[in-house]
Amino acid sequence: MQYNPGWNGSSVNLLHVRAAGPGDSLHYVWSSIGAPAVLLVATRSPSSALRVNWTQLLSPSPAGAIWIDPPDSVVYSSAVVFTKLFEFSEAKPSGEHFYPTYELSEFSWDSLNHTLNLTALTAELSGVPASDPGGGFSNGSLAFRVTAYEAEGRDERLPSLLHTADSSQLEFLLAGVAPRGNSSRFLLEVATVEEAGAARRLRSERSIDDEYTPTIFEVLSLVAESQNGSSTLGFLQWKATAYGSRSPRREDGIQCRAQGLQEGNWSLPLSSIVQAYFGDSLGSSCTVSALNVSFGGEEGEVYQEKRYLSWSVLLGFGEPPRDTFSPLVISITAVALGTPLAMLLLGSCLLLLAQRRRYSEYEPIN
């Protein structure tokens, strides 16, 4: 992990996470310059490096300020931008009422350097609106907590997402923000950028196994696929829940819904690292998609009570990880299904033996 590589100041935030393999390398570039965003770049070179022209990046025309060296080693690149936070209420009978939108590109962000932990491979980007007339953020903040991984495993905290060394986890945190209505719900707009030849698709998978995330049976994945559908290039994956506590438990669950993926000519807010990397292709050959993720039940009581919201999402390359039944669940299932079957077979055998023994007491009749 590198903070602002090639730049000595801390007035802006750019975090570079690099994972090197024997024949390739993966790059994650997180930044709050403009709207908070992350670049995901996969290369076929184990020694590929991130280059940043800081003078150009911080100028009004940042196109071309970020690139990977050597450029011909790049095999896939994408970006995810967190654009807006909506707040709305579903007061009856008037229906939905939206409050003024929080534009994340207009937030003021603290220095990542204060939260960077190179041992745990974590960092937290925290911010508040530069202008907050309603005072909702007077005692609160919005944050993105980044975690990188060196090996396969599972996060200890709910929702206990399964990760690989090719993925990173992002937690969206809303703490202490005063809702502007009695039954407010929040909605986060997430935009993705794909180069020509790839497109995003939303998947929903259900399972009967809720061993690691109790009562949650749905996993959603926003995958990037090649246009012919032959391969999955990258993904965002999350479970259909958020939590209303810093130490989440099952009872702290907050309903989480994904509202349909829309593709089209979206006008992205200023996000310098996306413009700096994709340049002119951002408005021509790139495809921009957007997805809204909402948090809270119909009445939104959980956030009203605790003033805390956390949502975890996994980002990575290739196919998203798939949960499988653990040995414990397999053993319990085998016992639960095997015991009645074994008793049935044993009872049938005893019944046959008893019948044979009863008839063997008589002499055969000619």
Side-chain angles (χ1 to χ4, degrees), residues 85-145:
L85 180 69
F86 297 96
E87 182 183 349
F88 65 98
S89 63
E90 291 186 326
K92 297 177 181 178
S94 58
E96 291 184 352
H97 170 70
F98 278 82
Y99 298 95
T101 304
Y102 293 114
E103 297 281 351
L104 300 189
S105 59
E106 299 174 1
F107 270 46
S108 175
W109 301 96
D110 295 337
S111 173
L112 266 175
N113 201 31
H114 299 151
T115 60
L116 186 61
N117 187 328
L118 297 178
T119 303
L121 299 178
T122 60
E124 186 171 313
L125 182 65
S126 179
V128 297
S131 175
D132 186 22
F137 279 80
S138 57
N139 294 311
S141 65
L142 180 152
F144 296 95
R145 182 183 297 150

Side-chain angles (χ1 to χ4, degrees), residues 275-331:
Q275 295 168 335
Y277 182 81
F278 290 101
D280 296 334
S281 64
L282 185 60
S284 57
S285 59
C286 289
T287 300
V288 180
S289 306
L291 176 79
N292 291 333
V293 182
S294 65
F295 311 100
E298 294 184 358
E299 303 300 332
E301 296 93 342
V302 176
Y303 184 82
Q304 292 281 351
E305 294 173 2
K306 302 188 177 180
R307 300 283 177 93
Y308 189 85
L309 168 69
S310 70
W311 174 61
S312 299
V313 57
L314 197 71
L315 301 93
F317 299 87
E319 281 284 349
R322 290 178 178 268
D323 265 321
T324 57
F325 291 106
S326 69
L328 176 63
V329 170
I330 293 174
S331 301

